[in-house]
């Protein structure tokens, strides 16, 4: 099983003070998860590459594009803004291999994500070229939703197929659901509300980590 990584999602943080918010988690975070929403693939619109550029941290930025047909120059914007990895959605791209190879060609890590109702079969052909698979455990678009346990069989199957792959779960992750996803085989845990709604963010992360052994 690859290394356990905690990725606080700044979607639930105070974005007017993002560097201060990140400062409070960076000692315990392996990645900072940045949700990009375009108002098309998902109804809300969040931040853009210009915003990502203003983030100052040594923790790698894990950019999650909930974006319809992201083109090369759009993706390049996030790479230039300092992304460590860019994850696209299978459902958002006609031919995800195009985006995946563009991301990899630029020397950073590429991920592919599937929504709770998308079958694993849809992405099996990309498993040899991606660095990470993000299995959504809520419908993308909003923080604070309930973890969908029905996504766990996909995590289990994926872990069997790819013992060394980074498998990320995102949505409704708290100490209890992180444990559930960990047992299914996930090793990268995105958490927004369960970290940033707490006054003591470090304690919130430690609480999640406790169950991941
Ligand atoms: C949802 C985003 C998530 C979101 C998770 O579409 O992809 O990253 O921030 O928030 P919580 O942890 O509150 O479910
Ligand atoms: Zn996300």
């Amino acid at each position: 099983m690859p290394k356990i990584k905690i990725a606080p999602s700044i979607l639930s943080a105070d974005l007017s003070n993002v560097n201060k918010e990140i400062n409070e988690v960076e000692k315990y975070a392996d990645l900072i998860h940045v949700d990009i929403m375009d108002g098309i693939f998902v109804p809300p619109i969040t931040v853009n590459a210009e915003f990502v550029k203003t983030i100052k941290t040594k923790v790698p930025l894990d950019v999650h594009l909930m974006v319809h047909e992201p083109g090369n120059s759009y993706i390049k914007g996030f790479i230039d803004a300092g992304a460590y990895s860019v994850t696209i959605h299978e459902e958002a791209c006609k031919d995800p291999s195009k985006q995946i190879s563009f991301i990899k060609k630029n020397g950073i890590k590429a991920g592919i994500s599937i929504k709770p109702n998308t079958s694993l079969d849809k992405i099996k052909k990309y498993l040899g070229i991606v660095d990470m698979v993000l299995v959504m455990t809520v419908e993308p678009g909003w923080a604070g939703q309930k973890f969908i346990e029905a996504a766990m069989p996909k995590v289990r199957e994926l872990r069997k197929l790819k013992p060394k792959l980074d498998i990320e779960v995102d949505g409704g992750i708290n100490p209890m659901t992180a444990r559930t996803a960990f047992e299914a085989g996930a090793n990268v845990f995105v958490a927004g509300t369960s970290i940033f709604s707490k006054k003591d963010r470090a304690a919130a992360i430690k609480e999640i980590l406790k169950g991941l052994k």
Side-chain angles (χ1 to χ4, degrees):
M1 166 92 112
K3 185 181 179 294
I4 301 282
K5 294 177 197 164
I6 301 289
S9 165
I10 57 168
L11 188 62
S12 309
D14 173 6
L15 290 181
S16 65
N17 239 327
V18 70
N19 286 311
K20 181 172 174 280
E21 294 278 78
I22 289 176
N23 188 259
E24 290 184 16
V25 297
E26 60 190 354
K27 222 174 128 190
Y28 309 92
D30 301 285
L31 300 165
I32 297 293
H33 185 82
V34 185
D35 288 304
I36 310 296
M37 305 188 191
D38 66 349
I40 299 169
F41 181 65
V42 289
I45 295 177
T46 55
V47 296
N48 57 16
E50 285 306 304
F51 178 87
V52 176
K53 238 187 236 168
T54 70
I55 298 177
K56 290 183 183 60
T57 180
K58 289 203 173 83
V59 183
L61 299 179
D62 174 37
V63 174
H64 177 194
L65 293 186
M66 283 160 276
V67 173
H68 177 73
E69 287 296 345
N72 289 354
S73 61
Y74 180 83
I75 291 174
K76 187 73 167 41
F78 291 97
I79 296 170
D80 293 342
Y84 162 82
S85 58
V86 170
T87 296
I88 52 138
H89 265 270
E90 186 278 332
E91 307 86 354
C93 308
K94 218 167 108 197
D95 177 8
S97 66
K98 282 197 185 137
Q99 279 91 352
I100 294 166
S101 47
F102 180 77
I103 296 165
K104 302 224 46 148
K105 213 173 69 195
N106 278 275
I108 68 160
K109 299 203 181 292
I112 190 158
S113 180
I114 46 174
K115 300 203 278 184
N117 292 325
T118 302
S119 115
L120 192 58
D121 289 338
K122 295 259 184 202
I123 58 163
K124 281 191 178 150
K125 52 181 170 296
Y126 309 117
L127 294 182
I129 54 171
V130 291
D131 301 291
M132 182 168 81
V133 171
L134 165 50
V135 177
M136 288 302 296
T137 43
V138 297
E139 283 302 326
W142 299 271
Q145 303 179 76
K146 193 172 173 281
F147 177 81
I148 298 172
E149 194 159 348
M152 291 305 98
K154 290 192 283 192
V155 174
R156 239 172 264 131
E157 189 186 342
L158 198 50
R159 179 53 73 213
K160 263 198 208 126
L161 288 170
K162 288 276 162 191
K164 290 182 183 150
L165 184 72
D166 275 333
I167 302 177
E168 181 174 57
V169 282
D170 180 8
I173 297 295
N174 59 39
M176 255 176 62
T177 58
R179 173 79 202 164
T180 303
F182 170 75
E183 282 172 352
N187 70 299
V188 186
F189 302 86
V190 177
T193 308
S194 74
I195 294 174
F196 284 104
S197 71
K198 304 274 162 56
K199 214 164 165 243
D200 187 344
R201 277 78 187 262
I205 294 176
K206 285 181 194 156
E207 203 52 48
I208 295 173
L209 280 170
K210 249 193 223 167
L212 310 182
K213 280 175 202 150

